[in-house]
Amino acid sequence: MKLQSIAKTQTGISGLDQVTGGGLPKGRPTLICGGPGCGKTLFSVEFIVKGAILYNEPGVFMTFEEKTEELVSNVASLGFDLEKLQSSKKIRLDYVYIERGEIEETGEYDLDGLFIRLEHAIDSIGAKRVVLDTIENLFAGLQNQGILRAELRRLFTWLKAKGVTAIITAEKGEGSLTRHGLEEYVSDCVIVLDHRMIDQVSTRRLRIVKYRGSAHGTNEYPFLIDDEGISVLPVTSLRLAREVSSQRISSGIKGLDEMLGNKGFFRGGSILVSGPSGTGKTSIASSFVQAACRRKERCIFFAFEESPPQIVRNMRSINLDLARYIRNGLLQFHSSHPTEHGLEQHLVTMYKMVRKFKPKVVVIDPITNLITVGIVRDVKSMLMRLIDMLQAEGITVMFTALAINNTTNDQADEAISSLVDTWIQVRDVEANGERNRGLFIMKSRGMNHSKKVREFVISDQGIGLVDIYVGPHGILIGSAREAQKLLHNEKGSGRTGKPAQRNPRLKQNGSTSKRKNKKAIK
């Protein structure tokens, strides 16, 4: 016999329903606790507002700390119009004033007055959700632990009997989750919020301490508060079971497509382009974007080093006109300094832009700048979540990463190279008094790709790949390659120098054996 899991109420809070496995326990109380400024009240308000707007579940918000006027003005910056919702009887706000000095500790102390007031508020709008914010003020004058424990249990039992899904907020205590140290034991679900400073960057975390009768995420999850409310960022999906595509899309560079089996990248895959500064990583990414826009596909370009006008101007010099795609709505830029926000803020910005714009291609240039605002482990976690989200939507993503001295930066390598499907490296090649570029594919999962190094050329006509020639003294690139190519054409013979892929050594050996045969005949 298949056992049924407990019923759940969706919160409507972005990401929270995913880590809770569907929402909060329906008809049961949930405790949200944490220190000052961690977001307990905002979590509760969004739970009530989203319930009324998205799920047609009216809610009662009873506060023992903020007056209703203050609450309305405080959450207006998030776009929540509590007055309008209250006038339409979708929510009910109730401020209960409690004066500690008026509370006398007697054996007859109880919450009957609160129950009567709360029941009236619930029945007046047919509420399905209730918030009590915060419980410390409700029991502010009680010191008798016996009475406190009894009244807490009675409150939670009454809420269950009423059949409402309730959130109760509580302040963090010393050595315990709450100040009284009792609420967490009688709650069916306990969520802890934390606000900390890491390297002078504000960071918020959420953790589900317990959830009776349900599996749930057990990690610490970053969450953000911005002008659209609260967003919880899951570390990654629960299973690696997403669908993959066998469709191939062009890189925008003919020679690179040839190196990828004449077909290009897999749609929905992830690509890393790494190399030293000035080797053309942004140019490769821009060519990829232009190819997608030509296919009438939407693209988002996240830039952490240059402003959009800079990128558009610089790409125009190599015959890439990105401005036209911005004007027709196919290309959207987002530029910001890495140190402007923490990693989570950058991640949630990407999440929201992707959900709104619904692109087919995303470029992030460069990811190595993100290491300035977080340790490698956190950057890798962020990128893993981003790749997971994009691939689940079938979006192809290209990252660029800075390498130093022709060697991939260890930090960038650890952060991303093992996660991506295709890894392309561009490196400097200095010879004969000039600097040129070479490109090769380190890996490309699921396809047969070229193992050769090809010369990467950038000119005012665009970018492309050229075959590297092998001369008597090794590989020839740049002007040496052009000179050898010209000499080869004039002589009409390939003995002096040939393209690398033709393996000239074999042909030279063949020519030698023919000369020996002629001598033997004589």
Side-chain angles (χ1 to χ4, degrees):
M1 184 179 68
K2 185 179 180 180
L3 298 177
Q4 292 184 346
S5 60
I6 65 171
K8 296 187 177 183
T9 296
Q10 290 180 287
T11 63
I13 297 174
S14 176
L16 183 59
D17 292 335
Q18 182 178 344
V19 300
T20 55
L24 303 182
K26 187 174 184 178
R28 301 186 185 186
T30 294
L31 178 69
I32 294 183
C33 53
C38 66
K40 300 184 297 296
T41 300
L42 291 180
F43 251 91
S44 306
V45 170
E46 189 159 349
F47 171 72
I48 292 293
V49 171
K50 291 293 180 67
I53 296 175
L54 300 180
Y55 307 110
N56 196 29
E57 294 186 356
V60 172
F61 194 100
M62 182 170 283
T63 172
F64 307 107
E65 190 170 47
E66 292 180 273
K67 294 182 179 180
T68 55
E69 297 82 6
E70 296 174 347
L71 183 65
V72 168
S73 61
N74 290 342
V75 301
S77 60
L78 303 179
F80 300 152
D81 190 347
L82 299 186
E83 289 183 335
K84 182 179 179 180
L85 291 172
Q86 185 167 224
S87 62
S88 59
K89 295 188 176 180
K90 291 186 177 181
I91 67 171
R92 175 77 178 266
L93 303 178
D94 193 4
Y95 169 62
V96 179
Y97 174 75
I98 297 177
E99 177 59 49
R100 294 189 179 188
E102 296 178 0
I103 298 177
E104 296 180 1
E105 285 195 39
T106 66
E108 297 178 355
Y109 177 90
D110 59 47
L111 298 175
D112 288 342
L114 174 69
F115 294 158
I116 293 172
R117 186 166 179 169
L118 186 55
E119 186 171 29
H120 173 72
I122 292 173
D123 294 341
S124 66
I125 61 171
K128 302 294 183 182
R129 304 184 181 206
V130 169
V131 168
L132 302 180
D133 181 50
T134 66
I135 201 169
E136 279 78 21
N137 288 10
L138 179 60
F139 298 108
L142 280 176
Q143 300 298 325
N144 188 311
Q145 291 294 309
I147 296 176
L148 179 60
R149 183 182 293 270
E151 291 304 301
L152 271 173
R153 288 189 178 277
R154 198 154 77 98
L155 173 62
F156 280 67
T157 301
W158 186 90
L159 291 170
K160 286 183 180 181
K162 197 65 181 174
V164 293
T165 304
I167 283 182
I168 299 170
T169 66
E171 294 288 341
K172 182 176 176 59
E174 296 182 6
S176 61
L177 295 180
T178 60
R179 290 185 181 178
H180 299 299
L182 303 172
E183 299 93 322
E184 56 263 40
Y185 295 102
V186 295
S187 302
D188 289 271
C189 179
V190 178
I191 299 175
V192 176
L193 307 182
D194 182 38
H195 188 195
R196 67 189 75 161
M197 296 295 293
I198 301 177
D199 295 330
Q200 302 179 353
V201 176
S202 172
T203 305
R204 288 183 168 90
R205 294 283 191 270
L206 174 148
R207 182 166 66 96
I208 303 172
V209 176
K210 78 172 184 178
Y211 197 143
R212 287 174 181 161
S214 173
H216 57 86
T218 56
N219 295 316
E220 269 196 337
Y221 300 98
F223 74 93
L224 296 169
I225 301 173
D226 59 15
D227 56 357
E228 295 183 3
I230 293 172
S231 301
V232 180
L233 307 179
V235 171
T236 184
S237 60
L238 298 179
R239 298 183 301 157
L240 292 173
R242 57 178 174 266
E243 296 292 329
V244 295
S245 173
S246 297
Q247 181 185 357
R248 304 282 280 272
I249 58 175
S250 173
S251 65
I253 305 171
K254 182 180 178 182
L256 183 54
D257 288 343
E258 292 172 355
M259 296 180 73
L260 296 165
N262 289 315
K263 296 179 180 179
F265 306 118
F266 281 121
R267 182 176 292 283
S270 51
I271 305 109
L272 171 65
V273 180
S274 63
S277 179
T279 50
K281 300 181 295 297
T282 303
S283 300
I284 294 174
S286 298
S287 293
F288 184 48
V289 165
Q290 179 175 265
C293 291
R294 285 177 173 174
R295 297 191 300 267
K296 306 299 182 182
E297 296 175 358
R298 291 186 173 189
C299 305
I300 298 181
F301 197 118
F302 293 101
F304 292 111
E305 202 166 55
E306 298 176 277
S307 66
Q310 280 181 296
I311 296 174
V312 171
R313 180 202 64 189
N314 296 342
M315 293 305 105
R316 191 180 296 117
S317 68
I318 59 172
N319 201 29
L320 295 177
D321 185 9
L322 300 182
R324 58 182 293 192
Y325 303 115
I326 297 175
R327 290 193 297 269
N328 63 24
L330 288 174
L331 176 59
Q332 192 173 97
F333 273 93
H334 178 80
S335 180
S336 63
H337 286 291
T339 54
E340 185 177 349
H341 305 292
L343 291 174
E344 290 79 15
Q345 181 66 59
H346 288 300
L347 181 58
V348 79
T349 299
M350 295 177 189
Y351 266 45
K352 290 183 176 181
M353 289 190 66
V354 166
R355 289 196 181 103
K356 288 181 180 179
F357 195 63
K358 300 188 183 304
K360 287 294 184 180
V361 167
V362 167
V363 167
I364 300 176
D365 175 48
I367 60 167
T368 35
N369 284 25
L370 296 173
I371 297 175
T372 60
V373 292
I375 60 177
V376 174
R377 180 188 61 197
D378 292 339
V379 173
K380 184 173 183 177
S381 173
M382 170 201 169
L383 295 173
M384 181 170 60
R385 283 176 278 159
L386 179 62
I387 291 174
D388 189 73
M389 185 272 290
L390 295 176
Q391 291 186 338
E393 300 293 330
I395 298 171
T396 311
V397 57
M398 177 178 283
F399 304 94
T400 69
L402 177 66
I404 300 175
N405 298 327
N406 282 337
T407 302
T408 302
N409 188 315
D410 291 338
Q411 292 180 319
D413 185 9
E414 183 179 350
I416 188 66
S417 63
S418 63
L419 302 177
V420 298
D421 300 309
T422 301
W423 183 9
I424 298 168
Q425 280 199 337
V426 189
R427 67 185 184 188
D428 285 320
V429 181
E430 295 184 10
N432 301 319
E434 63 180 15
R435 171 179 171 267
N436 296 285
R437 304 173 180 90
L439 180 146
F440 59 96
I441 300 172
M442 287 285 290
K443 71 171 184 179
S444 192
R445 293 170 179 160
M447 67 178 74
N448 185 23
H449 60 86
S450 173
K451 310 299 189 299
K452 295 180 172 59
V453 178
R454 298 188 66 180
E455 185 177 351
F456 178 47
V457 179
I458 303 177
S459 70
D460 57 0
Q461 297 302 312
I463 61 179
L465 298 180
V466 181
D467 292 333
I468 291 178
Y469 270 64
V470 176
H473 304 291
I475 292 177
L476 301 177
I477 63 174
S479 59
R481 171 183 52 76
E482 291 297 326
Q484 188 65 41
K485 186 177 179 181
L486 181 62
L487 181 63
H488 169 71
N489 292 335
E490 289 177 350
K491 289 187 174 183
S493 171
R495 294 179 185 176
T496 306
K498 294 184 170 61
Q501 68 268 25
R502 295 183 181 178
N503 201 343
R505 184 180 299 174
L506 295 178
K507 292 207 170 187
Q508 288 174 358
N509 291 341
S511 300
T512 303
S513 62
K514 287 181 181 179
R515 289 196 296 270
K516 289 181 178 179
N517 290 338
K518 288 181 179 179
K519 290 181 180 179
I521 292 173
K522 290 180 179 179

